[in-house]
Amino acid sequence: MWRSVLSVEHTVIEKIELETVKGEDVLVASVRPHWSRRGRCGRCGRRAAGYDTGGGPRRWRGMDAGTTRVYLQAPAPRVRCAEHGVTVAAVPWARHGSRFTTAFEDTCAWLACHTALSTLTVLLRVTWRSVAAIVTRVVAERAASVDRLAGLRRIGIDEISYRRGYRYLLCVVDHDTGRLVWAAKGRNADTLRRFFDLLGVQRAAGLTHVSADGAEWIHQVVAERAPQAVLCLDSFHVVAGGVRWCV
Ligand SMILES: [Zn+2]
């Protein structure tokens, strides 16, 4: 039952206690990884030899039980990974280097996408600094597991200026999902060729439509790398009646 309440897997729960911290009752669950998850590198998850007991027990903030704060507490031994050297062993309830459980971080990242930061920090009782670190970890994990360039069909290429127009970012968006899939500093043919190098010949052949502003160098690179794709002036510039809008 507690595994379900705490939203953890592959975790042994030894005891649950109510403790008073700074005048507030908190729930502390003493846990340890299931034997199949013990002795693994915190960075790659591969089995690694034990090194030492680390710096004593650690606590991870979990999802609140009602309005009561919840912490998971466990020893944090270190292991020696063949590739990553000495590192804190992986735990099944949290991401490496985090003081929050994975369930807490996933909830926090979802809220960061769907609500105001001020609402989120009050609701979850976290600082905006913690939110920033959590979102960074969750995005890094997703980015490693998702190939954002897979299955692209209709894309938009746009130049965005910053530093008052002295610097430019070249951005590629997926019109089907509305997501930014690639960005790099610069605004010339070579910058755009780097995108197509990463995309590869096969995936470039899957493109059906490319929208862009009227820049000649964009048209030239698209004609060179994805000749089958229909080039469209993006709606933004068409609506402007041919007048170049700065984003
Ligand atoms: Zn490792």
Side-chain angles (χ1 to χ4, degrees):
M1 185 186 84
W2 277 107
R3 258 203 298 276
S4 171
V5 171
L6 299 173
S7 304
V8 293
E9 286 180 320
H10 312 293
T11 301
V12 178
I13 297 161
E14 291 169 335
K15 61 178 178 187
I16 308 276
E17 286 175 318
L18 208 56
E19 203 180 278
T20 306
V21 176
K22 292 177 188 165
E24 181 193 331
D25 282 343
V26 300
L27 208 66
V28 179
S30 297
V31 297
R32 61 183 156 86
H34 184 260
W35 66 268
S36 64
R37 299 299 172 112
R38 291 174 68 183
R40 290 174 180 273
C41 169
R43 291 177 59 191
C44 66
R46 281 195 285 264
R47 284 201 177 281
Y51 182 74
D52 66 8
T53 55
R58 282 194 187 185
R59 281 188 177 181
W60 291 259
R61 172 96 186 272
M63 290 297 293
D64 291 350
T67 55
T68 306
R69 280 182 216 238
V70 170
Y71 291 91
L72 270 65
Q73 178 175 294
R78 296 193 295 174
V79 294
R80 188 198 288 276
C81 172
E83 190 183 339
H84 300 108
V86 175
T87 176
V88 176
V91 292
W93 53 82
R95 293 183 175 90
H96 188 57
S98 175
R99 291 300 182 106
F100 298 91
T101 65
T102 304
F104 187 98
E105 291 199 326
D106 289 348
T107 304
C108 181
W110 187 89
L111 282 167
C113 294
H114 293 91
T115 189
L117 192 58
S118 52
T119 309
L120 185 169
T121 53
V122 173
L123 180 69
L124 294 184
R125 293 180 281 192
V126 285
T127 62
W128 67 267
R129 254 174 216 282
S130 294
V131 177
I134 287 169
V135 169
T136 305
R137 271 192 294 274
V138 174
V139 169
E141 185 184 275
R142 300 280 150 88
S145 64
V146 174
D147 181 359
R148 286 201 256 186
L149 301 184
L152 286 181
R153 296 186 307 120
R154 300 184 293 185
I155 60 167
I157 300 169
D158 212 349
E159 305 158 60
I160 294 176
S161 72
Y162 63 105
R163 293 250 175 113
R164 296 179 184 176
Y166 286 108
R167 303 269 172 86
Y168 280 85
L169 268 185
L170 189 63
C171 301
V172 178
V173 296
D174 179 352
H175 283 312
D176 291 304
T177 62
R179 291 204 181 108
L180 176 76
V181 293
W182 186 85
K185 284 183 185 172
R187 56 175 316 209
N188 56 41
D190 284 341
T191 315
L192 186 54
R193 282 194 188 101
R194 276 165 48 205
F195 165 73
F196 279 101
D197 287 345
L198 200 66
L199 189 65
V201 176
Q202 208 168 4
R203 291 189 295 198
L207 293 175
T208 59
H209 296 78
V210 177
S211 74
D213 61 25
E216 188 53 42
W217 57 269
I218 294 182
H219 296 193
Q220 183 195 325
V221 176
V222 172
E224 188 179 296
R225 300 294 187 94
Q228 80 290 347
V230 177
L231 247 173
C232 330
L233 265 190
D234 64 41
S235 54
F236 215 53
H237 299 96
V238 174
V239 170
V243 178
R244 177 100 166 63
W245 280 27
C246 289
V247 180

